[in-house]
Amino acid sequence: MEAASIPVRATRAAPFEAVQRFLSRYGLIIVLLALPVAFAASDLIHGHGLSHIIENLKDGVSNGAIWALVAIGYTLVYGIIELINFAHGDVFMIGSFVSFGMWGTLGVTLATGTLGRVGGLIIAGAIAMIACGSLNVMIERVAYRPLRHAPKLAPLITAVGFSFILQNVGLEWLGGSQHGVDDLVDAQHILVNIGGVHIINADVLAIGVTVPLVLLLVTFVHNSRLGKAMRATAQDPEAARLMGINVDHTISLTFLLGGLMAGAAGLIYALYNTTIRFDQGFEAGLIAFTAAVMGGIGNLQGAVLGGVIIGCIQQISDDRINSTWTPAIVFAYLILIMVFRPQGLLGEETREAG
């Protein structure tokens, strides 16, 4: 009797195991493609072609480029000291405010000629990056380094504290209401129309600034002596110290790089959206941290991929569903990706992950 019952169990288990294997192999791809494929199919059925969904994805990539720059700061810091730097989103907000302030100081307005605007924006961007990098290093020196060996909850709380401090700095700086910014790059101007897909100035700005910065950063981290010191410190700080690496300086350098990226993102955000607000860093921080986790925390390429994916999800949801549902849809995607791939899309690069 026992011998006869064994094949029956195996037969019943076979379909279930096949579904499990299929979901394990293709589930993540299905999740990622579900939204764009569904709306692309809907467009084709109604005879609208694919230009609408391609326009959504194009807008998502340019919007996601901003989140990618902010996400890099989260992933760098978590990768090296395993801390969620809650103040990072507000450092990004300070980047927008510094950029806006510098335009006023330099006298860059809508009446300024093209050459003057480009020069003014480059100077403002460089100063915003330096300001945010310095601010991030100061936060690490004052709030995190003294707590390096404290329980993990202590630096987490100081990060939240610094987040509120920076928000209040922004509140005192420009007030509590949304602040309009001159459209210095004529963000919505159509540069070229490719098969019904419009490439606008804002797209070129976001992608044209993000791509070179990310390539420079990745090259620096992977090829330079300081970058190798950062990776060694991330893997094992004590071993790195024994090998002669100045761990404190290396961690400060990591915060500096994250702040530089946040400053650049702040400049792009202000020009892209033509509005800034003292609490813009809260939402941006949540989105960017989600992007870092989605891509694989500690992984630079993963942070960029996560930012672009979230940008695309947001754009499709805002345009096709309803913007009030966008945060829920973004986090539903995060949950599904974590279920199918807990280490993130490109894998974690942390001490715990090895």
Side-chain angles (χ1 to χ4, degrees), residues 335-350:
I335 291 167
L336 286 170
I337 288 172
M338 289 294 102
V339 166
F340 286 108
R341 193 167 169 80
Q343 67 272 37
L345 291 169
L346 299 186
E348 290 183 13
E349 289 185 6
T350 61

Side-chain angles (χ1 to χ4, degrees), residues 45-62:
I45 289 167
H46 291 93
H48 299 311
L50 292 174
S51 60
H52 193 175
I53 190 68
I54 294 173
E55 179 98 14
N56 288 153
L57 294 174
K58 181 270 299 176
D59 291 341
V61 170
S62 60

Side-chain angles (χ1 to χ4, degrees), residues 211-235:
V211 170
L213 284 177
V214 171
L215 290 176
L216 277 173
L217 183 64
V218 171
T219 304
F220 176 82
V221 169
H222 286 279
N223 297 330
S224 73
R225 189 180 177 86
L226 289 172
K228 289 173 184 172
M230 286 171 60
R231 287 189 289 144
T233 305
Q235 284 181 1

Side-chain angles (χ1 to χ4, degrees), residues 79-91:
I80 202 161
I81 59 172
E82 298 188 338
L83 167 73
I84 304 171
N85 181 14
F86 282 112
H88 190 69
D90 300 288
V91 173

Side-chain angles (χ1 to χ4, degrees), residues 87 90-91 93-95 97-98 131 135 138-139 161-176 276-280:
D90 300 288
V91 173
M93 174 272 293
I94 293 291
F97 278 38
V98 170
L135 177 62
M138 185 276 289
I139 291 171
F162 250 106
S163 171
F164 280 108
I165 289 170
L166 293 179
Q167 273 195 35
N168 277 275
V169 169
L171 185 61
E172 287 296 320
W173 192 336
L174 288 179
I276 53 177
R277 188 182 163 90
F278 78 98
D279 57 356
Q280 70 182 41

